[in-house]
Amino acid sequence: MPEREWDMRAPDGVAAHRSRRVTLAVVAIAVLGLLARLAFLGDRIAHWDEARVGYWILNYAETGSFMYRPMIHGPFLHQVNAPLFSLLGPNDFTMRLVVAVLGAALPLAALLFRDRLRSTETIALAVFLAADPVLLYYSRFMRSDLPLAVFSLFAVGFFVRAIDTRRARWFHASVLSLALAFTTKENVLITLVTWLGALVLLADHRLFLDRGFDRGWRTALRRRATWIRRTVRRWTPHLLVGAFEFLAIVVYFYAPRRTDAPGFDDLLTDPTTLPAVVGEATLGSWNAFYSLWVKGGHQDHSYLPYLADYLETLSTGSGALIVLAVVGFLADRYAGDRPRDLVAFCFYWGAVSVLGYPIVTDIMAPWATIHAIVPLAVPAAVGVGVLFARGRAALADDNRAAVAAVAIALLLVVAQIGIVATNDVYLDSQSDGNELVQYAQPADDFHPAIDDMAAVSATNEGTDVLVYGEFLVAERSGAREPGCTKWFNLLPIPWYTESTDATVSCARNVSAFERQTAGNPPPIVIGLTTDRAFLADRLDGYDARSYVLRTRDTGKTNTTFFVDTSRLPANATGGTEGNP
């Protein structure tokens, strides 16, 4: 049954007024969350993974050719960012914009649970979803984990609304959200497993709570089975329509475009290819996923170090939320008259994610904690509600010591969130000392060099950028642009050369470099910092700027840009930021 605070304690008019105030508060929190996500969104230099995926999205936007690549996860970001790049241009801001907007929408999911949560809890949930440092950091990061978490929470929220209101539109909205979750990342299968486990535990709760001691558990089980049977019978038409909606969305996103495989463009010109397109989008994608992520051995690692890293990120970025989630779950389970299904479900969902993600993830990555933080925000909001209730009771009893204790606890929560968010999300978003930063994030900001590269490419004739050295230059040309480079070693620079339309050449050794630079060297040369002295001797008058391309760099990818500032357009800045 719905558990609205105003239904239990207030007349209908007062209840409606409170409901409007809660809605306005949540919307205001979402707006502030949007501003927090858009502020300085393009300032951080692209992470290695952002650049890798961004390049392929840009390639799709330019060529129209798309094939599901499980290594870069689901096609959602491809399908939404490609037209955005075409409309607004490719850069670090537009690359992250969709994820930022989805992250800003996350607090609105709290309204879907307002019949299951009290007003204080609903607002607290919105605050956690808007301001939690990990969620805030990775709402400003182009990666599929945050969209997956957003669509998963909305899918649960819409389904809960369908149960509470018995209106079909909420069920179809849940199907839409779940289908979109399937287009983001393969981890959605892990989410389904955690949901199944949570439902099993909830079924056990219900059997225990609903059983009459004079009738036994068999009677309770029969009653539940009858209710499920009647519900399925009533909703069968909607289930069938929902299955079609789910399949249509999955096929639209996963179907290849302009490839040798049957694709979406073939379907538009020849409807008889529908079975082949559906098969390629579903079974073909599944086979590609299974070959890489199940059979590929990406999970062959020790469990405990990954668990320790996961817990360290949780404690640093979301410590207050985790503590309050435990408090909220225990208080709801043992202090109330009847544990709420929603609170227990979300706690189990989050707890299983904490234990399970260190098993299935292929690298130590802070973004994996998103999948535990989002569901745990619900019991954490209940924990805030417990503190507020204790504070009100102490205030009514004039218990100043208890009021002070509650106030201090709430201030500590605000301080933890505010300090970590301010420092780790905005002031120090790239350093190795930031627990929220994954190690493939460049430690330095080389946007000034990229700005000069863009300025050069707009006016220069011939080669704009020359890449030097065996570590950065391939023996044979590859399929990616710039094809002469060792693409993975050079990332994230290829994202910038491609997005600025720079023409790139390569020199793998000294003789190749001398041939390429004879007479008129390119305006920009890129090489490892270990080759800086060699390059400086041969690039007289160039401005040398060295940058660290990984936060945990062993020296292999410390890179120097040599820029001939005399060849920059008159309106270019010719910035000299970097390590001398």
Side-chain angles (χ1 to χ4, degrees), residues 2 50 59 64 72 127 198 342 346 366 561:
E50 288 182 298
N59 178 266
I72 54 177
V127 171
L342 174 67
C346 289
F561 287 69

Side-chain angles (χ1 to χ4, degrees), residues 56 59-67 69 78 256-259:
W56 285 115
N59 178 266
Y60 172 43
E62 293 176 345
T63 67
S65 177
F66 165 78
M67 174 67 76
R69 295 180 177 88
H78 279 71
R257 269 81 165 168
R258 297 185 185 178
T259 65

Side-chain angles (χ1 to χ4, degrees), residues 26-379:
V26 170
V27 171
I29 291 167
V31 171
L32 292 174
L34 177 62
L35 295 177
R37 283 155 175 78
L38 295 182
F40 315 109
L41 183 61
D43 281 8
R44 178 176 53 81
I45 204 76
H47 180 278
W48 186 93
D49 207 48
E50 288 182 298
R52 178 176 63 118
V53 178
Y55 164 80
W56 285 115
I57 297 173
L58 186 57
N59 178 266
Y60 172 43
E62 293 176 345
T63 67
S65 177
F66 165 78
M67 174 67 76
Y68 166 60
R69 295 180 177 88
M71 182 56 73
I72 54 177
H73 304 304
F76 176 80
L77 289 176
H78 279 71
Q79 302 297 352
V80 298
N81 268 1
L84 193 64
F85 285 176
S86 299
L87 179 65
L88 301 179
N91 54 61
D92 290 343
F93 182 91
T94 56
M95 175 176 67
R96 298 167 181 147
L97 182 59
V98 170
V99 177
V101 172
L102 287 174
L106 190 55
L108 298 176
L111 294 175
L112 300 174
F113 303 117
R114 60 185 179 270
D115 285 352
R116 303 282 181 134
L117 298 173
R118 298 176 175 87
S119 57
T120 301
E121 297 168 345
T122 303
I123 295 172
L125 174 58
V127 171
F128 278 129
L129 295 176
D132 175 84
V134 178
L135 299 184
L136 182 57
Y137 189 95
Y138 284 103
S139 292
R140 299 161 53 83
F141 192 108
M142 193 196 66
R143 190 173 171 84
S144 296
D145 291 83
L146 195 284
L148 169 57
V150 171
F151 291 132
S152 298
L153 186 64
F154 271 97
V156 171
F158 287 133
F159 190 75
V160 167
R161 291 296 290 168
I163 293 174
D164 289 347
T165 65
R166 299 183 182 180
R167 293 177 180 174
R169 66 171 181 261
W170 296 113
F171 169 77
H172 293 290
S174 179
V175 171
L176 171 64
S177 295
L178 182 61
L180 289 175
F182 265 81
T183 69
T184 58
K185 194 178 180 184
E186 300 80 4
N187 297 46
V188 67
L189 299 176
I190 303 172
T191 301
L192 294 182
V193 171
T194 60
W195 287 354
L196 181 61
L199 289 173
V200 169
L201 292 173
L202 284 183
D204 178 71
H205 286 184
R206 284 299 188 114
L207 287 174
F208 180 79
L209 293 172
D210 293 348
R211 70 187 175 98
F213 288 97
D214 57 336
R215 291 174 293 181
W217 65 270
R218 290 184 179 85
T219 301
L221 184 59
R222 282 196 296 270
R223 288 173 57 233
R224 286 291 162 196
T226 300
W227 178 84
I228 293 173
R229 192 163 53 249
R230 290 174 179 173
T231 300
V232 171
R233 187 184 304 121
R234 179 191 170 199
W235 285 81
T236 293
H238 295 291
L239 292 172
L240 294 176
V241 173
F244 174 79
E245 294 169 339
F246 181 90
L247 181 63
I249 292 170
V250 169
V251 169
Y252 173 79
F253 276 90
Y254 277 93
R257 269 81 165 168
R258 297 185 185 178
T259 65
D260 294 335
F264 193 77
D265 43 317
D266 299 312
L267 181 61
L268 295 177
T269 57
D270 183 6
T272 62
T273 61
L274 178 62
V277 173
V278 172
E280 187 63 36
T282 54
L283 294 178
S285 298
W286 171 263
N287 290 335
F289 152 73
Y290 189 86
S291 297
L292 178 67
W293 291 113
V294 179
K295 295 174 62 178
H298 287 275
Q299 293 76 34
D300 295 340
H301 55 70
S302 300
Y303 175 70
L304 290 180
Y306 276 64
L307 176 63
D309 182 76
Y310 198 95
L311 294 175
E312 186 176 0
T313 301
L314 281 178
S315 62
T316 300
S318 306
L321 184 149
I322 300 303
V323 171
L324 286 170
V326 175
V327 170
F329 169 72
L330 294 177
D332 188 78
R333 182 175 176 84
Y334 296 110
D337 295 332
R338 181 186 181 92
R340 285 175 283 182
D341 289 346
L342 174 67
V343 178
F345 175 86
C346 289
F347 182 82
Y348 294 140
W349 173 10
V352 173
S353 297
V354 171
L355 297 176
Y357 264 88
I359 297 175
V360 299
T361 189
D362 60 325
I363 59 175
M364 293 182 183
W367 53 67
T369 59
I370 291 171
H371 305 289
I373 293 167
V374 167
L376 288 177
V378 173

